[in-house]
């Protein structure tokens, strides 16, 4: 047994100034959406080159609201990847549209753009691309496909705050771009999300959808003209978000350093020797939200991932898995999806593991993880 403390695969790191800022909000007499939310939205908007940004209480409802603003509903098809958090596909069903999947690329583990284009039909209205682990897609090709077929894009950039494509921040360009501030994300506000929009008009509609469709005017004027919900972020959450967001550059830089150290420690012969697959070695564009290996199948027929996770845990190292293929979950099987439809996603979804990666981790921690991985995968 390991003598060192258990190393989780992810851990939120909240500094004392942020904790104090939350205390200030709690003492202020205004604990729901207010000045902190406005300040957070203003900072995010500046970060994304001045584009309109609105915050919400999750990164899931941000995508649902984007689909509603785009007018997507019953009879429409939306294409996404089978390897994401189930939220990505659920929001399509939530607005009454049909979820369509396209298989992933085995190297990037993101949606395969050739297969995406092949899945387009006359009913396709939108694409929800996902940047798994923070690794962007080929954005030129993605937007080229959308333009050619007249499709909206709702980028599920939940994992990609701080990532970029050819020097442009994810969120600073494109159509709708959705981020999550859930507890495990690079920047958290405990729970929350934000949506980057294209115009003041879309931002106004987003405000309605997040609060019961309400428009206020004068001292006591109130009207409702669209069916909205209750998706507003609180000032408590925004205070956490502001404190976290101030560290975005340092957080991203440290994660890239950790990722680089992972590659150094695994060494050039790791894949050939152990049969596991490393992620693409991108140290300029990805924000390294996750560091993911695809494990080899086991010769003895035992389930490779469960066995690996159990042995790593015994060595004091936490391992996550992101994600099981969405199309094989019961809700989606009921809609006609089954094994064999997306073979790459099915293999990756069965064998992918997320190794520890968070902003207070040290390079010593990385060395400990790599030693454990090699010990566990040793024949
Ligand atoms: C975290 C995450 C979401 C959902 O965000 P919440 O804030 O938990 O609603 C959606 N998609 C991906 C890829 C995520 O990682």
């Amino acid at each position: 047994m390991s003598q060192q403390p258990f190393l989780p695969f992810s851990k939120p790191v909240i500094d004392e100034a942020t904790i104090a800022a939350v205390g200030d909000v709690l003492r202020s007499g205004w604990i729901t959406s207010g000045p902190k939310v406005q300040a957070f939205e203003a900072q995010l908007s500046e970060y994304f080159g001045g584009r309109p940004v609105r915050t919400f209480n999750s990164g899931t409802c941000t995508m649902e609201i984007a689909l509603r603003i785009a007018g997507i509903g019953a009879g429409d098809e939306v294409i996404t990847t089978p390897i994401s958090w189930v939220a990505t596909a659920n929001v399509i069903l939530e607005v009454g549209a049909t979820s369509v999947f396209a298989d992933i690329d085995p190297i990037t583990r993101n949606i395969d753009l050739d297969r995406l284009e092949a899945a387009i039909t006359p009913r396709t209205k939108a694409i929800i691309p996902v940047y798994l682990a923070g690794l962007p897609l080929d954005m030129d090709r993605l937007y080229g496909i959308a333009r050619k077929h007249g499709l909206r894009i709702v980028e599920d950039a939940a994992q990609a705050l701080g990532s970029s494509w050819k020097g442009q921040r994810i969120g600073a360009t494109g159509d709708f771009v959705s981020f999550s501030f859930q507890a495990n994300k690079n920047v958290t506000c405990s729970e929350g999300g934000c949506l980057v929009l294209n115009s003041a008009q879309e931002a106004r509609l987003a405000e309605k959808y997040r609060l019961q469709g309400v428009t206020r005017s004068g001292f006591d004027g109130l009207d409702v003209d669209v069916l909205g919900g209750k998706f507003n972020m609180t000032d408590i959450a925004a205070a956490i978000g502001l404190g976290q967001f101030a560290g975005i550059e340092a957080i991203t830089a440290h994660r890239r350093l950790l990722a680089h150290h992972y590659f150094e420690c695994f060494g050039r012969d790791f894949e050939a020797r152990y049969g596991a697959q490393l992620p693409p070695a991108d140290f300029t564009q990805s924000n390294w939200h996750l560091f993911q290996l695809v494990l080899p199948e086991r010769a003895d027929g035992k389930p490779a991932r469960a066995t690996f996770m159990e042995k790593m845990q015994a060595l004091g190292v936490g391992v996550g898995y992101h994600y099981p293929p969405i199309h094989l979950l019961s809700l989606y099987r009921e809609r006609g999806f089954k094994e064999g439809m997306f073979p790459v996603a099915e293999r990756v979804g069965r064998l992918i593991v997320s190794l520890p990666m968070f902003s207070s981790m040290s390079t010593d921690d990385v060395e400990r993880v790599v030693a454990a991985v090699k010990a566990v995968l040793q024949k």
Side-chain angles (χ1 to χ4, degrees), residues 57-63 83-88 129-133 156-160 178-185 190-193 289-290 322-323:
N57 59 19
S58 78
T60 302
C61 69
T62 56
M63 293 190 283
I83 297 293
S84 181
W85 177 228
V86 66
T88 312
V130 176
Y131 313 132
L132 190 69
D156 181 353
Q159 304 189 357
S178 168
F179 294 91
S180 165
F181 304 120
Q182 183 266 343
N184 282 339
K185 301 304 199 276
S190 78
E191 296 288 356
H289 172 61
L290 299 168
H322 305 88
Y323 293 95

Side-chain angles (χ1 to χ4, degrees), residues 72-375:
I72 287 155
D76 298 334
E77 292 176 359
V78 180
I79 306 174
T80 192
T81 168
I83 297 293
S84 181
W85 177 228
V86 66
T88 312
N90 281 355
V91 295
I92 300 170
L93 304 183
E94 202 67 57
V95 301
T98 304
S99 55
V100 174
F101 298 101
D103 208 349
I104 61 166
D105 177 297
I107 306 298
T108 66
R109 302 144 187 182
N110 283 329
I111 198 166
D112 178 321
L113 291 173
D114 289 325
R115 293 182 192 279
L116 186 162
E117 191 161 17
I120 294 171
T121 76
R123 291 170 60 193
T124 306
K125 290 282 153 43
I127 304 166
I128 307 186
V130 176
Y131 313 132
L132 190 69
L135 184 72
L137 282 162
D138 179 333
M139 306 300 275
D140 298 338
R141 269 202 73 201
L142 172 67
Y143 275 89
I145 292 169
R147 261 194 307 278
K148 183 169 149 198
H149 298 274
L151 308 176
R152 296 303 298 263
I153 295 186
V154 178
E155 297 182 31
D156 181 353
Q159 304 189 357
L161 188 68
S163 298
S164 62
W165 165 254
K166 291 186 177 169
Q168 295 260 35
R169 275 179 190 149
I170 296 298
T173 62
D175 195 352
F176 296 106
V177 190
S178 168
F179 294 91
S180 165
F181 304 120
Q182 183 266 343
N184 282 339
K185 301 304 199 276
N186 291 22
V187 163
T188 183
C189 58
S190 78
E191 296 288 356
C194 77
L195 183 64
V196 187
L197 303 118
N198 300 292
S199 64
Q201 192 191 351
E202 281 183 359
R204 187 69 206 99
L205 202 44
E207 288 171 6
K208 287 188 192 181
Y209 278 122
R210 83 177 162 188
L211 211 86
Q212 314 294 0
V214 163
T215 308
R216 291 178 187 277
S217 55
F219 273 98
D220 61 352
L222 188 154
D223 191 25
V224 172
D225 59 353
V226 299
L227 178 58
K230 181 73 164 93
F231 302 118
N232 56 306
M233 178 181 279
T234 68
D235 265 22
I236 302 167
I240 303 172
L242 282 163
Q244 290 266 296
F245 187 59
I248 178 80
E249 300 301 338
I251 289 168
T252 308
H254 188 65
R255 284 174 177 266
R256 283 180 181 151
L257 180 139
L258 293 174
H260 199 264
H261 202 56
Y262 263 122
F263 275 87
E264 272 176 6
C265 295
F266 278 123
R268 287 181 185 282
D269 65 344
F270 173 73
E271 293 186 328
R273 245 181 100 182
Y274 296 88
Q277 184 200 27
L278 291 163
D282 173 331
F283 306 111
T284 52
Q285 304 201 122
S286 176
N287 68 355
W288 290 97
H289 172 61
L290 299 168
F291 191 98
Q292 297 181 293
L293 295 182
V294 176
L295 301 171
E297 301 273 18
R298 288 179 63 94
D300 63 8
K302 282 191 192 157
R305 181 165 60 199
T307 310
F308 179 84
M309 290 175 78
E310 189 184 347
K311 289 184 176 180
M312 289 292 284
Q313 182 151 331
L315 292 173
V317 178
V319 173
Y321 60 103
H322 305 88
Y323 293 95
I326 297 172
H327 69 286
L328 298 182
L329 303 173
S330 298
L331 184 71
Y332 290 85
R333 285 180 187 269
E334 283 166 15
R335 283 161 172 76
F337 294 103
K338 53 181 189 285
E339 270 98 358
M341 285 181 155
F342 310 107
V344 183
E346 288 164 26
R347 181 181 58 81
V348 169
R350 192 169 61 244
L351 297 168
I352 199 163
V353 289
S354 303
L355 300 181
M357 174 62 88
F358 50 92
S359 59
S360 63
M361 235 176 102
S362 68
T363 50
D364 285 354
D365 292 330
V366 169
E367 283 156 34
R368 188 178 147 201
V369 175
V370 171
V373 170
K374 288 181 176 174

Side-chain angles (χ1 to χ4, degrees), residues 11-30:
K11 185 168 93 176
V13 181
I14 315 283
D15 64 17
E16 288 304 320
T18 304
I19 294 169
V22 170
D24 291 345
V25 172
L26 293 173
R27 281 185 287 264
S28 74
W30 193 274

